[in-house]
Amino acid sequence: MFCSNKCALRSRVCGRSMSWWSPSGGGGSLAAGLGLGAGLLALGGAAYCWWKYRRDRGGYSASPGPASRQRPRRDTSDEQRLKLFHSFPFRSCRCAWLVNELGVSEYVDVEPVSLHSNDASGLLQYREVHPHGTLPALRLGDGTVMLESSGICLYLAEVFLDPDGLNLMPDPEYMANYYNFITYATSTVDHILEPLYTQLTNMAQEQRNHSLVDSARRKFDLCANVLSACLGDRDFICGSKFTAADCVVGYSVWWASLVQEGALLRDFPVLQAYLERLQARPAFQQTFKRPVDP
């Protein structure tokens, strides 16, 4: 952005210079020379901006991007490893799925957390990590704790971006979709799915709040239409490329499929096909394999 502003400023300055040296003022040849020079300067500035953008995105392996876009130090010592607190089938599945897609389990420990055990001591202990006692949480090597699945997925995709290998960031033209639908899934879709899942899966018919269910169902249908329109005839949220956005949105679609044996998705074939593509991925199968109770 800063680089683009410099290019625009340079063009505006050059434009003022050219308007002062008009042919009618007797400086035609000089104006032509200055105009050519200004054009070359603007072209060079634009080329530099493009080179800098590609370099920072990891497009040129000879000149790696900022350290923030590289893998963390390849140090597997306990004090440097990341720790993901996770329990199936909660929203931490998004993050565990992304870890499996990235193939970075050597850098990320997945710590099982039980929120429904008879012994409350485990949950009390976990509240020292996450003050709300919900999942997921990601503890970084410096002790920082991230509390939201969307932020964790954005972080993991960024720090484990490998310019010469796996890259689950979007191509530039899909960057808006990437951020938009990651946050849309976690702030809008999840909020609607939670009462639907609770009411229709965990409660008997006579105990349900039917007005709440009807309202949430209408809201979910709207969300499903928004997601279907985003996908269209594309394979994934960001075009033909699987990205971290699919781990986030895909979890929401999978969650919806659990309600009344898929009734929520029955009228949305685009989402059904999208979920089938996700379920065929080995990392999905590894993550969403239901644990066997001991």
Side-chain angles (χ1 to χ4, degrees):
M1 179 62 73
F2 175 70
C3 184
S4 299
N5 290 339
K6 286 199 300 184
C7 294
L9 178 61
R10 189 174 294 146
S11 297
R12 289 197 296 270
V13 171
C14 292
R16 285 197 294 269
S17 298
M18 291 174 67
S19 63
W20 186 81
W21 285 98
S22 64
S24 60
S29 60
L30 180 56
L34 286 174
L36 178 61
L40 291 174
L41 182 61
L43 181 61
Y48 169 77
C49 288
W50 177 244
W51 172 85
K52 185 175 182 298
Y53 173 78
R54 291 294 305 277
R55 183 201 68 183
D56 291 350
R57 291 284 295 151
Y60 296 114
S61 58
S63 180
S68 63
R69 294 186 181 274
Q70 305 303 310
R71 289 178 181 267
R73 288 182 297 170
R74 294 175 181 266
D75 185 347
T76 56
S77 59
D78 290 342
E79 63 271 15
Q80 292 299 325
R81 293 175 64 84
L82 308 181
K83 179 174 286 189
L84 174 66
F85 295 86
H86 166 54
S87 181
F88 180 89
F90 297 103
R91 278 167 269 201
S92 56
C93 288
R94 288 173 168 142
C95 313
W97 179 12
L98 182 55
V99 168
N100 290 331
E101 290 281 359
L102 290 166
V104 293
S105 57
E106 62 182 300
Y107 303 105
V108 184
D109 288 324
V110 178
E111 179 79 10
V113 177
S114 176
L115 300 183
H116 299 299
S117 62
N118 294 328
D119 181 6
S121 61
L123 179 57
L124 291 174
Q125 186 176 5
Y126 177 61
R127 283 187 182 275
E128 297 178 5
V129 177
H130 196 310
H132 302 292
T134 58
L135 290 162
L138 180 72
R139 179 183 283 157
L140 311 185
D142 64 359
T144 300
V145 178
M146 302 185 68
L147 305 178
E148 293 290 339
S149 62
S150 55
I152 292 170
C153 287
L154 286 166
Y155 176 82
L156 292 174
E158 179 82 7
V159 299
F160 287 111
L161 186 153
D162 186 351
D164 300 318
L166 190 61
N167 174 2
L168 294 187
M169 295 284 288
D171 293 330
E173 62 267 32
Y174 289 109
M175 190 63 74
N177 259 21
Y178 180 74
Y179 287 108
N180 186 34
F181 283 98
I182 283 179
T183 53
Y184 181 72
T186 57
S187 62
T188 300
V189 182
D190 284 4
H191 179 70
I192 294 166
L193 273 174
E194 189 159 0
L196 279 173
Y197 182 83
T198 301
Q199 292 282 325
L200 297 177
T201 304
N202 297 336
M203 290 188 177
Q205 177 81 16
E206 61 275 11
Q207 296 177 319
R208 294 172 186 168
N209 182 334
H210 294 286
S211 62
L212 174 62
V213 170
D214 291 343
S215 174
R217 180 62 188 266
R218 288 193 297 271
K219 291 177 181 178
F220 176 80
D221 287 350
L222 178 58
C223 290
N225 280 321
V226 170
L227 293 175
S228 296
C230 167
L231 285 164
D233 59 356
R234 300 198 298 256
D235 286 341
F236 302 110
I237 294 297
C238 296
S240 60
K241 180 181 181 182
F242 181 92
T243 67
D246 296 293
C247 292
V248 178
V249 176
Y251 173 82
S252 295
V253 177
W254 173 80
W255 186 11
S257 75
L258 302 182
V259 179
Q260 291 189 322
E261 300 181 345
L264 292 182
L265 301 180
R266 196 163 293 151
D267 296 329
F268 301 99
V270 171
L271 295 185
Q272 292 178 40
Y274 174 60
L275 180 58
E276 289 175 3
R277 286 191 292 276
L278 299 179
Q279 289 174 322
R281 299 181 68 85
F284 181 100
Q285 296 168 13
Q286 179 182 355
T287 306
F288 289 83
K289 181 172 60 177
R290 185 176 293 275
V292 178
D293 294 331

